Amino acid sequence: MDCESEHKSLRYDTAMTARTITIDDTTLRDGEQSAGVSFTLDEKLAIARRLDALGVPELEVGIPAMGEAEREGIRAVAALGLKARLVVWSRMHASDLAACRNLDVALVDLSIPVSDIHLAKKLGRDRAWVLKTITDLVPLAQDLGLSVIVGAEDASRADPDFLMRVVEAAGRAGAQRFRFADTLGVMEPFGVYETIRTLAGITDLEIEMHAHDDLGLATANTLAACRAGATHVNTTVNGLGERAGNAPLEEVALGLKKLYGYATGVDLAGFPALSAEVAAASGRPVAWQKSVVGEGAFTHEAGIHVDGLLKDPETYQGFDPGEVGRSHKLVLGKHSGTHGVRAAYARMGLALSPAEARELLPEIRSFAERAKRSPGDQELLFLYQRLIGRSALARVH
C-alpha cells in the first residue's frame, strides 16, 4: 500500500469506527511525583471531585506502600463515593501489595521494570525473574479483590520480543490490563503506533499508554497509541508529572474528540477551574502559551487574525474555545490593524472612525514595544483622549 492510499485508509477507518477510550488520570499519583509537589488531603479531595465532575472514568490516587498517611488519603478519596473507578500504584513486591489491602479501590497497577538496563543496573535481576514475579504476584492481588494492571516500566526501551512474553505472562496470570510505560519519554508517534499495534494483535488484554513528555511528544504518542489499538491512557491535569511531565488530560481528551471522534466521556467545559486548582495546589503555574488552558491559547493580536475573527470566528478557530470553558480574547499590540483598534474601543463604548483608528495605531504599537505588553483599557482611553485633545487644538489653530 502506498503512502497516499494508507493515509486515505486511516481517514476512512476514523470516520467509520466509533470508539471509546478510557482515561485513567494519574494527577494524584504521577502528577504529585513531580519534583517538589505535595498535595494536602483537602487538595487531593478537591482535585478528585473536580476530575469526577468532568466525567473522568478512572483516577489513580496514590501509592499505598508510602505509609499510613498515604493510605488514609486513598481511603478518604474512596469515601467520596465518586463515579470514577479508583486505581492505586504498587511495585510488584509482595510487601508493597500487602499495603493495598482494604482501601476500597478497584484496581492496582503492579509495576515492574522490563528493560534490560533497569533489570541489570537497578535491580540486579534478569528476564526470567520478571516472568516469574508476574506469575506469582498477579494472583495475590486478585486474592485481595483487586483487578490488576501489569505496568511495564521502561517498556519503550525493552527488547520487543521479551515485551511480548511479558504481555503473554500477564494474560496467563489473570491481569486485566497491560500498561505500556514510555518512562523516559523517548518514543515518537510512528514507533508507538507500530509497537502498540503489535501488542494489540497478540493479546486480549486492555492496553494502556503511559507517556512522558521529555521530548514534547507525550500527547502525540498517546494519540498514536489510541489509533493503534490502546483502550486506556494515562493523563495528568496541565501535564503535571515527573521531569517534563505526562500527557496532559486537556490535550488528550480534546485531541481524541476533535481528531478522531473517539469518546472519552470527559466534558472539558469546566476544565479551567480544575486547571487552576491543580496549578495552585502544585505550585506549578500554567505557561502563558500552554495549549487549551494557557492565558494566550485564545488570545489574538495580529491584524489579519483579528480581522478574520471579527468577520467570522471560523476563519481562525480550530475548535470552539467554549468546548473547554474559554473564549476568544482580542488584544492590541505591535501587530494590530485598524479593525482590531476599532473593535477594542467599541468594546469600551467608543465608536472610532477609520481615520481615528489609523492615527491611534502607531501610538498603540509604540506603547506595546516599550511596555512589552498590550495596553489596558485605561491606557487606551488615555491615548484616545490625547488624540481628541490634539484634534481640538488643531481646530483652534
Side-chain angles (χ1 to χ4, degrees):
M1 180 183 291
D2 60 34
C3 292
E4 179 63 23
S5 298
E6 184 174 4
H7 180 57
K8 290 178 179 177
S9 175
L10 288 176
R11 287 186 300 184
Y12 177 83
D13 290 344
T14 300
M16 298 297 292
T17 304
R19 285 186 57 199
T20 297
I21 303 295
T22 299
I23 291 179
D24 173 6
D25 187 85
T26 186
T27 301
L28 295 175
R29 196 277 297 177
D30 210 347
E32 195 184 26
Q33 285 180 219
S34 182
V37 173
S38 179
F39 299 136
T40 66
L41 178 56
D42 286 343
E43 288 166 342
K44 285 186 177 182
L45 297 179
I47 292 168
R49 287 191 189 99
R50 288 193 185 276
L51 284 164
D52 191 60
L54 295 186
V56 179
E58 291 186 359
L59 307 179
E60 191 168 55
V61 295
I63 306 172
M66 283 179 59
E68 186 56 33
E70 180 82 349
R71 292 191 288 273
E72 284 302 314
I74 293 167
R75 292 188 187 100
V77 174
L80 294 174
L82 305 178
K83 297 184 293 293
R85 294 207 305 165
L86 303 185
V87 185
V88 291
W89 186 95
S90 173
R91 293 180 302 174
M92 202 174 286
H93 292 181
S95 59
D96 285 20
L97 180 56
C100 300
R101 187 187 305 273
N102 300 325
L103 296 178
D104 198 22
V105 300
L107 300 103
V108 59
D109 172 39
L110 290 179
S111 180
I112 189 166
V114 294
S115 68
D116 290 335
I117 188 169
H118 272 224
L119 289 173
K121 301 295 185 181
K122 187 170 76 171
L123 300 180
R125 299 285 191 172
D126 59 17
R127 295 179 180 183
W129 173 83
V130 173
L131 301 178
K132 184 177 187 306
T133 302
I134 291 171
T135 301
D136 292 343
L137 269 292
V138 170
L140 290 181
Q142 292 176 309
D143 290 343
L144 297 179
L146 297 167
S147 296
V148 178
I149 305 166
V150 169
E153 184 184 8
D154 206 26
S156 48
R157 295 195 296 172
D159 174 73
D161 291 335
F162 177 62
L163 195 63
M164 287 190 279
R165 293 176 63 195
V166 171
V167 173
E168 291 167 350
R172 286 195 303 270
Q176 174 180 320
R177 187 181 309 168
F178 177 78
R179 176 180 291 182
F180 181 96
D182 183 16
T183 302
L184 297 181
V186 294
M187 294 197 76
E188 45 77 34
F190 301 100
V192 169
Y193 182 88
E194 293 300 327
T195 299
I196 299 301
R197 184 172 66 171
T198 298
L199 295 178
I202 67 164
T203 184
D204 292 327
L205 293 179
E206 298 167 348
I207 297 179
E208 184 168 83
M209 182 67 194
H210 181 91
H212 280 265
D213 206 35
D214 297 73
L215 292 176
L217 294 170
T219 296
N221 287 340
T222 300
L223 298 180
C226 293
R227 287 292 292 124
T231 57
H232 294 66
V233 294
N234 290 142
T235 64
T236 58
V237 176
N238 299 339
L240 196 65
E242 293 267 10
R243 302 180 315 280
N246 295 62
L249 166 63
E250 60 276 17
E251 296 178 10
V252 170
L254 189 66
L256 289 171
K257 176 184 177 182
K258 305 305 291 187
L259 299 176
Y260 305 134
Y262 293 171
T264 63
V266 177
D267 182 358
L268 292 173
F271 189 80
L274 171 60
S275 172
E277 182 111 44
V278 171
S282 64
R284 299 291 183 268
V286 176
W288 192 85
Q289 286 188 306
K290 167 71 177 66
S291 61
V292 184
V293 291
E295 178 64 24
F298 303 101
T299 299
H300 309 267
E301 175 191 313
I304 57 171
H305 286 228
V306 171
D307 179 50
L309 282 166
L310 290 171
K311 292 173 178 173
D312 187 333
E314 292 296 320
T315 56
Y316 286 98
Q317 176 176 282
F319 61 92
D320 182 355
E323 292 185 57
V324 293
R326 303 290 304 280
S327 60
H328 289 297
K329 179 181 178 182
L330 308 183
V331 300
L332 298 179
K334 181 177 179 179
H335 303 93
S336 295
T338 56
H339 287 93
V341 173
R342 296 184 72 190
Y345 279 95
R347 179 176 51 80
M348 294 187 289
L350 294 171
L352 266 61
S353 68
E356 288 174 322
R358 284 194 297 272
E359 192 168 347
L360 279 170
L361 190 54
E363 297 194 46
I364 291 169
R365 289 172 172 170
S366 178
F367 176 94
E369 187 172 341
R370 292 193 315 271
K372 306 302 180 186
R373 62 176 176 84
S374 301
D377 287 356
Q378 290 303 314
E379 289 151 338
L380 290 174
L381 286 172
F382 173 78
L383 293 176
Y384 176 73
Q385 289 165 353
R386 194 166 65 179
L387 170 66
I388 296 302
R390 288 199 304 266
S391 298
L393 185 62
R395 286 196 296 273
V396 169
H397 291 286

